[in-house]
Amino acid sequence: MSGCCDGGCSIDALREERQLGTLKIVLGINAVMFIVIAGAAVYGGSTALLADSLDNFGDALTYALSMYAVTRSTNTKAKVALFKGILILVAALVVSAQVIYKIFVPGLPIFEVMGAFSLLGLVANSVCLFLLWRHRNEDVNMSSVWECSRNDIASNISVFIAAGAVWFTGSGWPDIAVAVGLVFFLLRSAVRVISSAKRELHAST
């Protein structure tokens, strides 16, 4: 700090400290929610809820990587963002495999479990989104974190709607349909994060 005559390093350090504090909180929230929702997805037999839990797991890894990248160079932040985009892509492929399995081995998920835990996830992810709001435009690292958190909200709402549709129709197809929609949502997000990271890498070389 003593080498910063104009205070610029102090400002950067304060911003990085705030980013780390926020990331620690949202990392803890997503780690807990992954365990809780994954258990609920297995118990309730819901592919959409499973996709939701994998999203939380991916986010927990994302936030851990983001904590590493906070104090690193722009080039390193872009590389971490690129890896986060790949994680989102992997999550989409895992859910796709589960969707294919459910098509050939159909079942009726427990809509009460889907509804209750999607709402629990919505509350938790809304807290994360609120905490990350002020950081969303600070750099490519935090921008990609914001992207992941925003995805979570859409995922939770989709699963809740699917729960209502399963109850109304008495069929497991709404669960599969929402899971397919989440796959496309995750794919689009992965492309956006990866493209942004590649632009940053190109600009920093």
Side-chain angles (χ1 to χ4, degrees), residues 7-197:
C9 291
S10 297
I11 293 173
D12 289 342
L14 179 61
R15 182 177 66 247
E16 291 168 355
E17 183 179 346
R18 288 174 176 171
Q19 288 180 355
L20 281 171
T22 299
L23 289 170
K24 286 178 182 178
I25 295 172
V26 296
L27 169 60
I29 291 173
N30 276 272
V32 171
M33 291 309 299
F34 161 66
I35 296 172
V36 171
I37 296 181
V42 173
Y43 175 77
S46 170
T47 303
L49 202 58
L50 177 64
D52 207 10
S53 70
L54 288 175
D55 197 25
N56 283 120
F57 177 69
D59 286 348
L61 291 177
T62 290
Y63 299 142
L65 288 169
S66 297
M67 289 171 62
Y68 165 79
V70 161
T71 58
R72 301 302 195 268
S73 66
T74 300
N75 184 268
T76 300
K77 289 178 178 179
K79 289 179 180 178
V80 170
L82 179 62
F83 185 66
K84 283 184 271 188
I86 294 172
L87 283 179
I88 297 173
L89 179 61
V90 170
L93 295 176
V94 170
V95 177
S96 297
Q98 180 68 11
V99 166
I100 293 172
Y101 173 79
K102 283 287 187 177
I103 290 174
F104 290 100
V105 187
L108 184 64
I110 304 173
F111 69 85
E112 295 94 339
V113 172
M114 292 176 64
F117 283 90
S118 62
L119 286 180
L120 179 62
L122 180 60
V123 171
N125 288 317
S126 295
V127 172
C128 292
L129 192 68
F130 173 77
L131 292 173
L132 291 166
W133 176 270
R134 64 177 176 173
H135 302 296
R136 68 192 187 283
N137 295 320
E138 289 179 350
D139 54 44
V140 66
N141 180 45
M142 297 307 291
S143 177
S144 61
V145 168
W146 162 257
E147 182 82 24
C148 291
S149 185
R150 188 177 61 180
N151 289 350
D152 293 342
I153 298 296
S155 176
N156 296 144
I157 294 173
S158 298
V159 175
F160 183 75
I161 293 173
V166 168
W167 166 76
F168 183 76
T169 64
S171 167
W173 284 107
D175 180 58
I176 295 175
V178 167
V180 170
L182 290 175
V183 167
F184 282 105
F185 194 83
L186 288 169
L187 287 173
R188 188 180 68 173
S189 179
V191 170
R192 186 181 297 116
V193 172
I194 290 172
S195 297
S196 177

